[in-house]
Amino acid sequence: MSRSAFAPAKVNLFLHVGPPEGEGGYHPICSLMAFADVGDVVSSFAADALTLRIAGPFAGELAGEGDNLVLRAARALIAQAKRPVAPIGLRLEKRLPVASGLGGGSGDAGAALRLLREELGLDQSNDALEALAAALGADGAACLWGAPAIAQGRGERLSAAPGLPTLDAVLVRPPVPVSTAAVYRAFDAAGRFGDVRPPAWPDAFEDAAELAGWLATQRNDLEAPAIAIAPQVGAVLETLAGEPETLLARVSGSGGTCFALCSGDIEAEGLAERLEAMSPTWWVQRCRLGGPWPDPA
């Protein structure tokens, strides 16, 4: 039976980044991550061998990528099973732009891991699945489950997020990919490293306005280098910050996509419609942030 798994867009509500550490030069982080009700979909189909088909509006941005994270995740899971498994095909419906700070590749890998464990009847524990996801990328562990979380370390240490209210938001990405590696190089060159000790927060936020006010005291340490590399991102951020519906505007992750938190669904819808008319080349998506979101039926 064919199954499908949802890979929601990841949004860093804040992202604090410290100086590189250890042999690998990884940057410790502290980030509050939430997940959107928009994203990619991974589904299975009958096949004679493990294979991947890519479709969707952003499939072309993955053209020529022979070792997609979905395939890497599938191979890692099957290797860990240490027993023969039935051949299977995977289809990635790529609805999120690539290199956009939304954790798309990690989310796709996580969806593939969850789907294959069920489809192939494997018995890996949640902890084993999380370790595989974390090995595939810094956002892997969080994107595996798609639930709000505080991520620390390289992103693999997850703890419960404070209670979040309903969050209506608008995601906006200009038509330019932003390389995470290039952003980190610019970040290191600037030498303005952040404090990655977890800030104090309440057990829960009453509404979007309270959360936005608290988030305004936090930051995304990769925002400035992302804008330096791609000034179009700065133009989006400036536009969002100036709109009346916006409670808070910020870059997500290493950039590409900015988000605006709004006080409600009507405000988010009005903002999205106006932005689409204002700048037709921008990818504009109204959404709700939270998670986890259900897999497609």
Side-chain angles (χ1 to χ4, degrees):
M1 181 178 71
S2 176
R3 300 174 188 263
S4 294
F6 183 50
K10 173 233 34 167
V11 173
N12 299 92
L13 296 177
F14 74 76
L15 175 58
H16 302 167
V17 185
E21 297 178 346
E23 292 183 8
Y26 291 107
H27 295 74
I29 69 163
C30 180
S31 181
L32 172 55
M33 297 181 180
F35 292 83
D37 59 355
V38 297
D40 299 333
V41 175
V42 178
S43 56
S44 61
F45 62 91
D48 295 330
L50 177 64
T51 187
L52 175 66
R53 297 174 184 170
I54 304 176
F58 291 99
E61 295 189 9
L62 293 178
E65 186 176 301
D67 196 26
N68 184 280
L69 271 174
V70 170
L71 283 176
R72 289 169 57 190
R75 293 186 188 115
L77 183 69
I78 291 169
Q80 192 183 76
K82 296 181 180 178
R83 67 170 175 81
V85 299
I88 192 169
L90 296 172
R91 182 181 187 274
L92 170 60
E93 179 76 15
K94 194 63 187 168
R95 301 174 181 175
L96 297 175
V98 177
S100 58
L102 297 176
S106 292
D108 297 341
L113 289 172
R114 299 194 325 268
L115 182 152
L116 287 171
R117 182 173 66 171
E118 299 303 314
E119 187 81 335
L120 298 176
L122 302 177
D123 58 3
Q124 277 97 331
S125 67
N126 285 348
D127 287 345
L129 218 61
E130 193 170 300
L132 283 177
L136 292 167
D139 292 333
C143 290
L144 173 65
W145 309 120
I150 299 290
Q152 293 177 263
R154 290 176 52 197
E156 83 285 0
R157 286 181 13 229
L158 304 181
S159 56
L164 300 178
T166 298
L167 291 177
D168 292 287
V170 180
L171 307 178
V172 185
R173 185 250 201 185
V176 54
V178 179
S179 163
T180 297
V183 169
Y184 270 104
R185 284 194 295 270
F187 176 68
D188 288 345
R192 292 190 289 270
F193 304 116
D195 183 352
V196 295
R197 291 174 296 183
W201 53 70
D203 291 337
F205 293 94
E206 183 175 340
D207 55 26
E210 182 186 17
L211 175 63
W214 180 81
L215 287 172
T217 68
Q218 308 304 313
R219 61 195 188 274
N220 177 354
D221 289 330
L222 299 183
E223 190 169 276
I227 291 171
I229 287 171
Q232 301 96 317
V233 175
V236 169
L237 189 63
E238 184 177 359
T239 298
L240 289 178
E243 295 302 310
E245 297 91 347
T246 300
L247 298 174
L248 175 87
R250 181 162 285 163
V251 170
S252 178
S254 58
T257 302
C258 302
F259 66 91
L261 296 184
C262 301
S263 58
D265 179 67
I266 293 174
E267 289 79 7
E269 182 175 9
L271 176 58
E273 289 178 352
R274 191 163 65 255
L275 291 170
E276 287 174 335
M278 181 191 309
S279 299
T281 63
W282 290 355
W283 177 77
V284 178
Q285 184 67 63
R286 179 170 62 91
C287 68
R288 184 159 286 178
L289 298 178
W293 304 103
D295 289 325

